[in-house]
Amino acid sequence: MKIAAVSVIDMPLNPRYAIRRKKDANNNKWDWGSMDHSSLRKLLRSTQKGEAENKRRRLTLYFISYVGGTIMAIMAMLHVNAGNTLLVAALGASAAVMYVNVALSHLLPNNNSFYYVAGLIVCFTINTLVYTGGLNNTGLYFIFPLLFIQIVVVQFKPAIAYVAVTLGIASVLLYNQELIAAEYPPEHVSRFIIATCCFVCVAFIGENFWHQSRIEMLKDNLERVRQANTDPLTKLPNRRFLEAVFFEKVMQDPVAYFPLSAVVVDLDYFKTINDSYGHDIGDEVLVHVTSVMKDAVRATDVVARTGGEEFLVLFPHASLSQAVKLAENIRQAIEQSPFVKGDINHPITASFGVATALTDSNINAALKQADDNLYIAKKRGRNCVVE
């Protein structure tokens, strides 16, 4: 019996696998064996959301830090002869810390603490302006863009706490002017507080709507990606998933996966089932076998449908001897689980070809060897494991 027309060895490994790409922010370990709609969506969401959001925040931090730091440095130099030593020192210190913070963020791009440090710098700068008054007590006018920077740089929910603390400190200073160097007329203080509250509300509403619309677009995109990576019948990962997601993660973190054993599985005499009971029953048999296989593997293993009645099982961190034992467990589970529906009680068996890749350089060879071993298992009478 010839196995599926499109064999697993026809799945080329993309050359870019040789390039070590950055790990996703969470570095999660996935329950590959029970991969379904929700878990696959979770994996894809982590990968895509992490990349898009991290890029947006990183570029925002770079732009605001360089531009904002330069503006503060220029303002500090302009006030050198104004007699406000505290303001000059505060602006200069803020610019210096901002430059250091963004420089370190280039060295550690996956570290989120730099965003929160930038938010603290803004908090310090705002309250320094409130305390000193800036030039002729006009410092309050510069607080609005600084607050917006704080909202944008820090993530949405933490930004609420940052802004609340920043404005809380500013309000205490404004209503206790005997503690500060600046002098503000009462009507200026009340109008500043009202205008600031309105500005913050509008800014957060706009940021929230942008955030929600982005989430909706991400959900739609993830659903399309999930459908492209999932076999519609069995809900198992498909060949596209193996190439675009799983082998990518293998190349990112080879220590966590090698030795990687591959098992090509093909149901025996599946054409007979279709001819005897119809393709609808054949589809139900595939779903039944899928359930049996998923129950028989470890949480870290991958069960994928690669075409027709052919499956590919991948065992991370499994030697050849271990993979043979695991494959034998699956073979026995399938053999002991006949398909039963109404008056149909049809025994099911499968043939297995096993091979192991010790490094990322011989994954293709291992997949081909496993496929060749499957042919040998068919020639030996089926319902067996060949290594």
Side-chain angles (χ1 to χ4, degrees), residues 91-324:
L91 290 175
S94 295
V97 174
M98 188 165 289
Y99 283 137
V100 172
N101 185 62
V102 72
L104 291 175
S105 71
H106 282 287
L107 300 176
L108 301 170
N110 293 326
N111 192 322
N112 290 327
S113 61
F114 301 111
Y115 303 104
Y116 303 115
V117 171
L120 291 175
I121 296 172
V122 172
C123 177
F124 171 78
T125 305
I126 286 175
N127 286 291
T128 296
L129 289 172
V130 172
Y131 183 90
T132 63
L135 180 63
N136 298 326
N137 293 330
T138 59
L140 296 181
Y141 296 112
F142 292 93
I143 290 178
F144 296 105
L146 289 172
L147 279 174
F148 185 72
I149 289 173
Q150 193 174 51
I151 293 171
V152 172
V153 171
V154 185
Q155 283 185 320
F156 182 76
K157 291 182 179 179
I160 297 175
Y162 269 71
V163 171
V165 171
T166 301
L167 292 182
I169 297 173
S171 298
V172 171
L173 296 177
L174 289 170
Y175 285 105
N176 294 274
Q177 294 189 34
E178 69 276 5
L179 303 176
I180 63 178
E183 294 181 5
Y184 303 104
E187 61 272 18
H188 285 198
V189 174
S190 60
R191 283 159 178 75
F192 168 76
I193 295 296
I194 294 173
T196 303
C197 290
C198 293
F199 171 80
V200 169
C201 289
V202 171
F204 272 113
I205 290 173
E207 186 75 3
N208 181 64
F209 278 123
W210 178 88
H211 183 68
Q212 293 301 322
S213 63
R214 179 181 169 276
I215 289 177
E216 291 302 318
M217 287 188 294
L218 180 63
K219 285 181 178 179
D220 292 340
N221 184 54
L222 286 171
E223 180 60 21
R224 289 192 294 269
V225 174
R226 185 199 62 76
Q227 292 176 2
N229 285 272
T230 306
D231 173 56
L233 175 63
T234 62
K235 309 307 180 209
L236 288 175
N238 58 17
R239 184 182 289 105
R240 181 187 179 92
F241 169 85
L242 295 175
E243 181 179 352
V245 180
F246 178 77
F247 285 122
E248 286 280 353
K249 296 185 78 68
V250 170
M251 297 304 165
Q252 292 169 7
D253 190 13
V255 175
Y257 292 94
F258 290 98
L260 177 66
S261 292
V263 180
V264 181
V265 184
D266 189 75
L267 301 187
D268 297 329
Y269 304 110
F270 185 73
K271 186 176 183 300
T272 302
I273 296 176
N274 281 332
D275 293 342
S276 301
Y277 308 110
H279 289 278
D280 289 343
I281 295 298
D283 288 346
E284 292 186 37
V285 169
L286 290 173
V287 173
H288 168 71
V289 172
T290 294
S291 177
V292 173
M293 293 177 67
K294 288 168 63 176
D295 290 339
V297 299
R298 305 170 303 178
T300 55
D301 301 333
V302 181
V303 180
R305 185 184 179 198
T306 54
E309 67 270 28
E310 184 180 304
F311 299 84
L312 176 65
V313 185
L314 294 165
F315 297 129
H317 263 308
S319 64
L320 182 60
S321 59
Q322 292 173 323
V324 169

